Amino acid sequence: MAELLIPSAQQLIDGEWAAARDAGELRVTDPATGQTIQTVACAGRADVDDAVRAARRAFPGWAATSASERGRLLRRWSELIGEHVEDLARFEARDVGKPLSGGRMNIFITQGIIEYFAGAADKLTGVTLPTRTPDYLGYTLQEPYGVCAVILPWNVPAVLTAANVAPALAAGNTVVLKPSEVAPLAPFALAELARRAGFPPGVLNVLAGVGADAGAALTSHPGVNHISFVGSTTTGRAIMRAAADNLVPVKLELGGKSPNVLFADADLDVAIPAIVGSITENAGQNCYAGSRLLVEASIRDEVVERVAESMRAVRVGPWDADLDMGPLVNEAQYHRVLGFLEGAPAEGARLVTGGGPAQRADGGWFVQPSLFDGVDPRSRLSREEVFGPVLAVQEFSGARQAVEMMNDTDFGLLACIWTSDVSRALRLAQEVRSGQVSVNQFADAGVIGFPFNMQKDSGFSRGGGYAAMREYTQEKAVAVRLLDRSSVE
């Protein structure tokens, strides 16, 4: 088995690893130490142009490739990922700072996503339409857009690569992928395995560069036919403005402020570990992180005490120690989260546990899992995405107030409801303004092909399952009048 290495200061364009045009480099650092792991090429506008041109050249042949053959190549890609789980897990964990077990879990998820779309590639169909008389035939076709630009953040790079690239390729598009310059190693390694799997040159191109340069060049490029972006709401708005000039459709997965809504009849032994995990997994650096805990008044004191105890038990350390939580991804994110921790008491919140850096002799951007009670619904801690292991507790009385508080946010990504009353859970699931709802679990564990939907400032897209493939296709309607009757007379 060939060793999985990422060429230093290189990018994958038209099937080959090559240096950036301007020979610029990006330093990739270990968040646990601040030390450089590797350098990669820093793409500029000329490199983006090369990648888009390569994708455009490859598109006609790839779109004409049978769906079953596209699925075969995706399946081979998935198999190669399975052969390199440990290598990929180290890239993912060290790059972002998460524990090695978390990196390994993400690679298993990545493999599963690609395997799913390998099986789905030849099952994307249109529909036949009813007609007024037998003299007509109507049907629809699902066709690829062409060149898809995929721009990703740093928090779960391998999973997000699979979730966006695999359905695009399965549907017959070619892709130019720009992972975050903060954490590009796992996407680069996945691209190398795609190359080994036999994807034709130009079908998948990968380059790293800063958003203001390479990202802006990609989203405004006239050769791009579709844009998929995962990241902040502010950047999402900027990308929409750039895409408007070329009338390019945009798929946006943005921020979140997800509530865990905990009723008095919930099983706390199940709920509390999941709630703590929802804000400490990946050090809270997930768009769907359960950063708001809404607790029914009668159990508030017990819940706050138990959550605090659980958060104090979270073991914090570097990726290779494989504990419970790693550092924040870089110094900028570290100081941003500390700003929320320092400002919360001034807005009336009571610190229960945590509240500052988690000092370690080896350095790094570690913070303590932090819990605040009595958080004002109008405060920054309640309304803004922290993107760190910080949990804000608020109290409610009754289901009606719970719904109002769940919806009192600009975001609408995920809502989690904890209750043994099925009727209440289903009623709240209808009333909450969120793209996804989980009941008695956090997120979508156990449901295959669960759509990753969102509302409000969390963006708009249909991710996961067959809906994701339809995001990367455009529908064509065909109407036929059958003129020759002689063959049946």
Side-chain angles (χ1 to χ4, degrees):
M1 182 173 65
E3 187 178 4
L4 184 57
L5 298 174
I6 302 171
S8 291
Q10 302 282 300
Q11 52 196 356
L12 184 65
I13 297 178
D14 208 14
E16 299 292 337
W17 291 100
R21 291 270 208 109
D22 62 4
E25 293 182 355
L26 292 167
R27 291 173 57 249
V28 183
T29 59
D30 183 342
T33 64
Q35 301 300 309
T36 298
I37 303 171
Q38 187 170 332
T39 59
V40 297
C42 182
R45 292 178 179 270
D47 302 293
V48 169
D49 194 53
D50 289 345
V52 173
R53 289 176 184 274
R56 292 196 70 81
R57 286 194 300 269
F59 172 67
W62 182 245
T65 299
S66 69
S68 58
E69 174 63 9
R70 295 198 298 266
R72 185 192 70 80
L73 289 170
L74 284 163
R75 188 168 293 106
R76 180 56 185 150
W77 188 18
S78 173
E79 291 169 352
L80 288 174
I81 291 169
E83 295 173 9
H84 292 278
V85 169
E86 291 305 312
D87 290 337
L88 290 164
R90 282 191 291 270
F91 282 132
E92 178 90 352
R94 192 177 187 191
D95 212 359
V96 180
K98 65 187 68 178
L100 182 58
S101 57
R104 190 178 295 117
M105 178 186 67
N106 284 357
I107 300 308
F108 286 134
I109 294 171
T110 297
Q111 182 185 19
I113 291 170
I114 295 173
E115 185 177 18
Y116 179 94
F117 287 110
D122 61 358
K123 299 171 183 65
L124 182 65
T125 63
V127 297
T128 56
L129 303 170
T131 59
R132 292 184 176 87
T133 72
D135 296 325
Y136 295 89
L137 172 66
Y139 61 94
T140 64
L141 300 170
Q142 297 293 327
E143 298 181 337
Y145 280 103
V147 176
C148 293
V150 176
I151 302 173
L152 299 180
W154 43 259
N155 56 334
V156 277
V159 171
L160 290 173
T161 294
N164 287 274
V165 171
L169 296 182
N173 301 280
T174 55
V175 171
V176 178
L177 169 64
K178 193 198 89 62
S180 170
E181 66 275 18
V182 174
L185 298 186
F188 272 39
L190 290 171
E192 168 60 16
L193 293 180
R195 191 177 72 87
R196 295 183 190 180
F199 284 91
V203 168
L204 175 59
N205 309 273
V206 185
L207 43 77
V210 297
D213 192 2
L218 190 53
T219 55
S220 62
H221 199 290
V224 168
N225 305 110
H226 181 280
I227 298 170
S228 177
F229 171 74
V230 184
S232 73
T233 301
T234 299
T235 304
R237 290 191 175 102
I239 286 174
M240 284 191 69
R241 287 190 289 269
D245 288 339
N246 295 323
L247 293 178
V248 174
V250 180
K251 173 180 178 286
L252 297 178
E253 299 179 17
L254 308 176
K257 197 68 182 173
S258 301
N260 274 292
V261 182
L262 193 59
F263 285 90
D265 64 349
D267 186 336
L268 297 186
D269 291 336
V270 174
I272 288 176
I275 289 167
V276 172
S278 77
I279 196 61
T280 58
E281 194 275 325
N282 206 23
Q285 298 169 121
N286 293 318
C287 57
Y288 55 80
S291 56
R292 292 191 296 149
L293 176 54
L294 312 182
V295 185
E296 194 160 23
S298 62
I299 59 169
R300 172 179 170 174
D301 291 344
E302 179 186 1
V303 167
V304 169
E305 180 180 349
R306 291 182 61 175
V307 169
E309 181 181 5
S310 181
M311 293 183 91
R312 293 187 192 105
V314 172
R315 300 169 303 164
V316 180
W319 70 275
D320 52 349
D322 201 17
L323 302 176
D324 302 317
M325 192 183 90
L328 299 176
V329 74
N330 58 22
E331 184 177 9
Q333 184 64 15
Y334 173 78
H335 288 297
R336 183 177 187 276
V337 173
L338 289 184
F340 278 96
L341 296 178
E342 293 163 0
E347 294 185 302
R350 179 178 69 88
L351 177 64
V352 181
T353 189
Q359 299 291 351
R360 290 184 55 85
D362 49 0
W365 313 119
F366 295 92
V367 297
Q368 299 170 335
S370 301
L371 178 67
F372 287 91
D373 191 16
V375 177
D376 189 327
R378 297 163 296 179
S379 67
R380 289 185 65 218
L381 189 59
S382 177
R383 307 205 67 83
E384 297 183 22
E385 187 176 36
V386 177
F387 229 57
V390 185
L391 183 58
V393 177
Q394 296 170 317
E395 177 186 301
F396 70 86
S397 297
R400 176 49 47 201
Q401 187 180 23
V403 171
E404 293 173 354
M405 294 174 69
M406 291 167 74
N407 289 334
D408 186 22
T409 175
D410 295 329
F411 298 100
L413 181 55
L414 171 66
C416 300
I417 301 165
W418 299 89
T419 179
S420 60
D421 187 331
V422 175
S423 295
R424 175 164 59 194
L426 296 179
R427 181 68 66 186
L428 264 64
Q430 292 177 352
E431 296 183 8
V432 64
R433 294 185 60 201
S434 180
Q436 305 162 60
V437 179
S438 290
V439 178
N440 293 332
Q441 64 172 346
F442 183 76
D444 58 349
V447 180
I448 297 173
F450 190 77
F452 197 84
N453 300 330
M454 52 221 65
Q455 297 180 11
K456 301 193 288 187
D457 282 5
S458 292
F460 41 82
S461 74
R462 293 169 296 166
Y466 287 98
M469 288 183 67
R470 292 188 180 275
E471 276 284 350
Y472 289 101
T473 61
Q474 49 194 337
E475 186 174 73
K476 177 184 288 181
V478 181
V480 182
R481 184 177 180 183
L482 307 175
L483 297 177
D484 185 6
R485 294 175 175 272
S486 60
S487 62
V488 294
E489 289 181 351

